[in-house]
Amino acid sequence: MFYKYLIQPFTWLLVALGLATTVSCQEPRPAADMAAVPLIPIPASLTATGSSFLLTEKTGIYTAGNTEEMGRIAGYLADKLKPATGFTLAIEATESAPKPGNIYLKLDPSATVLGDEGYTLVVTEALVTISAAKPAGIFYGVQTLRQLLPATIEAKSTQAGPWIVPTGTIEDQPRFGFRSSMLDVSRHFFGMDDVKRYMDLMAGYKMNTMHLHLSDDQGWRIEIKSWPNLTAIGGKTEIGGGEGGFFTQEQYKELVQYAADRYILVIPEIDMPGHTNAALASYPELNCDGKATKIYTGREVGFSTLCTSKEVIYAFVDSVVRELAAITPGPYIHVGGDESHATKKEDYIPFVNRVHTIVTSHGKQMIGWDETAQTDLDATSTVQLWASPEFGRQAVAKGAKMIMSPATKAYLDMQYDKKSRIGLHWAAYIEVDSAYIWDPVALIPGIGAENIIGIEAALWTETVEETKDIDYLVYPRLIGYAEIGWSPQASRDWETYKFRLAAQAPRLKAWGVDYYPSAKVPWKQE
């Protein structure tokens, strides 16, 4: 059967009897083929050596370099391994390789060829060694190690084992430095636990950015202390008239730290000048007629706009950006700018130009949807392409960088097919194969690798009300986007990927992910 380990019968018997845990590294170990493990994202380079390392209750995790941060990564790994194995793995700092039977996480600043996120993973019968120039690389090597173990390692209760890791060497680093997913918490609100779960699952596939869509017509989801009605009024409902909700600044900071511990950058988005009805309902002075709009719980877009001719608008934007910048360590503030159909072009362009200046004044770089390409962008600007190739070309001509999020390929709210129980299809039906079979660099003539910082898969939540709805639309497609962002283009093809994806089923089940079982994929059930 595909991707099964080959186990020498006599050694398998020893393992089953619990006797193999004490054999020395010179004695035979179970055969295992690292090249047959269904790793996602597929590594840049892998060489298998045909034997195995055995993880036991005596295994320890040793760290070298940058002790505090490396200790956190070691703790993360120990926490991931404990539920299924029952092992409480000791963690210890060291300056030299540990004795056989252990895991060694080694920070090596001289390994600059690996970049900020690359790693080398070497598994021998005696030792598992993950080395990298930066801690992020160690973290991503840990994700690969998790996948090298049997899928039952992800179980929440103790499993039988044995816990063997195939031997070999992996040298790996990402294609793109920006590998993102967006969660819209505005149309339907999702709280702390849901966002953290989303981050945990992303991290397992080496994605490193989470874009939070925090404001829209249906809801304002982040506390702005100088404008409290944004949440008191604008945050109290959602599509369909549900309860709504919002994050306090303390909660947001907790999410940012949770993300950082998983090497995920959080990008907050405040959409403007359109998609602003929640703000317009909260403060009448943001409207041209000085009257507050009604709370909106529908799905339509393009009808709202800030009154861009009023000076109070820019005081408002400055306050929002200032407070967000103060609690967002990352370099970016996303200002939206899409579908502002109610804003005249002659008003839209100077508005975005002025917002750009405000964002820069607070030490951040502006990201906007592709419509912002019409404005005075520069090399500090980033444009997120979702619809218009022409806007994309305009953006790169002005020196801006690109995030590739084509709605026809990377919008997670699109239905798989006509039978999908939720989702929309205004852009396309996006089956699992269609989501995978595209190259960000080859998508639009005139926009090449030198212009693109990475990709993002966006989940808009018009039809998404519960965690199971997130799972259904996001998985398994997000796994493919993770590979698009990480792996060399030459290593990717659907015919082999679909089998590696199929083998993720037991892990997804162990994580409690209610994924869409696409008929395009020969799912592995055990």
Side-chain angles (χ1 to χ4, degrees):
M1 193 172 178
F2 198 72
Y3 292 129
K4 272 199 172 180
Y5 295 129
L6 301 176
I7 307 296
Q8 295 175 1
F10 179 65
T11 308
W12 174 265
L13 178 60
L14 291 176
V15 172
L17 293 173
L19 300 176
T21 61
T22 60
V23 298
S24 73
C25 62
Q26 283 76 34
E27 296 181 32
R29 288 292 178 88
D33 184 5
M34 183 183 281
V37 179
L39 296 174
I40 300 178
I42 192 168
S45 171
L46 185 153
T47 303
T49 53
S51 189
S52 63
F53 170 90
L54 188 63
L55 178 73
T56 76
E57 71 275 6
K58 295 182 180 180
T59 299
I61 304 174
Y62 290 79
T63 66
N66 189 11
T67 304
E68 183 178 351
E69 190 170 3
M70 292 291 285
R72 285 199 299 270
I73 298 172
Y76 170 94
L77 174 58
D79 288 345
K80 292 296 181 184
L81 299 179
K82 183 175 182 178
T85 65
F87 305 155
T88 301
L89 302 185
I91 298 170
E92 185 175 334
T94 183
E95 292 304 322
S96 58
K99 64 183 181 181
N102 293 299
I103 298 169
Y104 186 30
L105 308 181
K106 179 183 178 183
L107 197 62
D108 180 6
S110 68
T112 54
V113 69
L114 296 171
D116 290 345
E117 297 181 303
Y119 65 92
T120 299
L121 190 157
V122 180
V123 183
T124 67
E125 292 184 351
L127 200 64
V128 174
T129 303
I130 301 173
S131 58
K134 298 288 182 67
I138 301 292
F139 183 80
Y140 295 127
V142 163
Q143 307 314 315
T144 300
L145 175 58
R146 290 171 64 188
Q147 288 194 33
L148 287 172
L149 284 156
T152 48
I153 197 67
E154 305 297 343
K156 294 180 175 63
S157 59
T158 305
Q159 305 295 305
W163 305 109
I164 60 172
V165 183
T167 58
T169 299
I170 293 173
E171 293 184 352
D172 200 12
Q173 60 189 114
R175 182 186 188 193
F176 295 109
F178 186 100
R179 305 175 303 281
S180 179
S181 187
M182 187 209 79
L183 177 62
D184 168 16
V185 296
S186 294
R187 290 177 171 88
H188 283 100
F189 181 66
F190 291 91
M192 299 285 285
D193 290 344
D194 289 322
V195 175
K196 288 178 179 180
R197 179 176 182 269
Y198 202 102
M199 291 174 180
D200 280 328
L201 294 170
M202 285 173 53
Y205 293 101
K206 303 184 176 72
M207 299 193 84
N208 69 355
T209 306
M210 185 163 196
H211 169 183
L212 288 174
H213 184 75
L214 293 169
S215 71
D216 214 296
D217 291 316
Q218 299 88 351
W220 188 284
R221 307 303 183 196
I222 181 67
E223 175 190 23
I224 301 298
K225 294 182 179 181
S226 57
W227 296 75
N229 283 353
L230 291 171
T231 49
I233 296 174
K236 68 181 182 181
T237 190
E238 61 185 13
I239 281 182
E243 182 178 354
F246 65 93
F247 300 118
T248 66
Q249 291 194 10
E250 288 303 310
Q251 288 175 321
Y252 176 83
K253 287 190 284 187
E254 181 181 331
L255 289 175
V256 168
Q257 185 59 56
Y258 191 88
D261 289 344
R262 287 148 185 79
Y263 295 89
I264 294 173
L265 174 75
V266 172
I267 298 176
E269 180 188 355
I270 301 298
D271 210 343
M272 58 181 101
H275 289 276
T276 47
N277 192 76
L280 299 172
S282 302
Y283 285 97
E285 59 266 40
L286 302 180
N287 296 275
C288 286
D289 62 4
K291 298 178 181 179
T293 61
K294 294 181 179 180
I295 290 291
Y296 180 68
T297 60
R299 292 185 184 179
E300 298 304 314
V301 300
F303 62 88
S304 62
T305 182
L306 297 171
C307 188
T308 61
S309 62
K310 296 175 73 171
E311 195 61 26
V312 67
I313 296 298
Y314 302 97
F316 165 74
V317 172
D318 185 78
S319 294
V320 171
V321 172
R322 171 176 51 78
E323 292 194 31
L324 263 183
I327 56 176
T328 302
Y332 301 115
I333 298 289
H334 201 306
V335 302
D338 61 315
E339 297 177 318
S340 196
H341 307 314
T343 314
K344 295 178 181 179
K345 186 176 181 179
E346 58 265 32
D347 297 327
Y348 177 88
I349 292 174
F351 170 82
V352 175
N353 286 340
R354 192 162 173 185
V355 169
H356 187 185
T357 300
I358 291 170
V359 171
T360 302
S361 75
H362 291 290
K364 301 298 182 182
Q365 299 174 39
M366 185 185 84
I367 300 178
W369 296 103
D370 60 41
E371 291 93 328
T372 60
Q374 302 167 87
T375 68
D376 297 338
L377 303 179
D378 58 29
T380 70
S381 311
T382 302
V383 168
Q384 188 164 358
L385 187 144
W386 69 280
S388 172
E390 181 53 36
F391 283 156
R393 284 187 283 266
Q394 287 181 32
V396 300
K398 295 175 180 179
K401 294 298 184 181
M402 300 296 301
I403 299 166
M404 302 302 282
S405 300
T408 56
K409 286 291 187 181
Y411 266 27
L412 290 161
D413 54 308
M414 293 298 106
Q415 293 172 291
Y416 295 93
D417 56 29
K418 293 180 180 179
K419 296 180 181 179
S420 297
R421 68 173 180 83
I422 56 171
L424 305 172
H425 58 265
W426 57 263
Y429 292 107
I430 306 178
E431 246 293 359
V432 177
D433 56 348
S434 179
Y436 181 79
I437 303 171
W438 64 287
D439 179 3
V441 170
L443 190 67
I444 298 175
I447 301 179
E450 69 278 9
N451 310 121
I452 298 170
I453 66 170
I455 73 164
E456 180 175 288
L459 179 64
W460 304 101
T461 59
E462 287 94 334
T463 68
V464 180
E465 300 181 19
E466 302 177 76
T467 302
K468 68 178 182 180
D469 298 334
I470 293 177
D471 287 357
Y472 177 84
L473 291 175
V474 173
Y475 288 94
R477 289 184 290 197
L478 193 68
I479 302 173
Y481 298 129
E483 180 154 299
I484 292 170
W486 182 279
S487 301
Q489 178 63 23
S491 300
R492 298 198 306 109
D493 74 274
W494 170 253
E495 290 305 315
T496 57
Y497 171 75
K498 68 183 179 182
F499 289 103
R500 287 186 290 117
L501 178 60
Q504 299 298 307
R507 293 182 188 273
L508 294 172
K509 183 178 179 180
W511 290 332
V513 175
D514 190 13
Y515 66 92
Y516 168 71
S518 170
K520 301 274 187 177
V521 180
W523 296 103
K524 178 179 177 181
Q525 298 304 320
E526 297 180 359

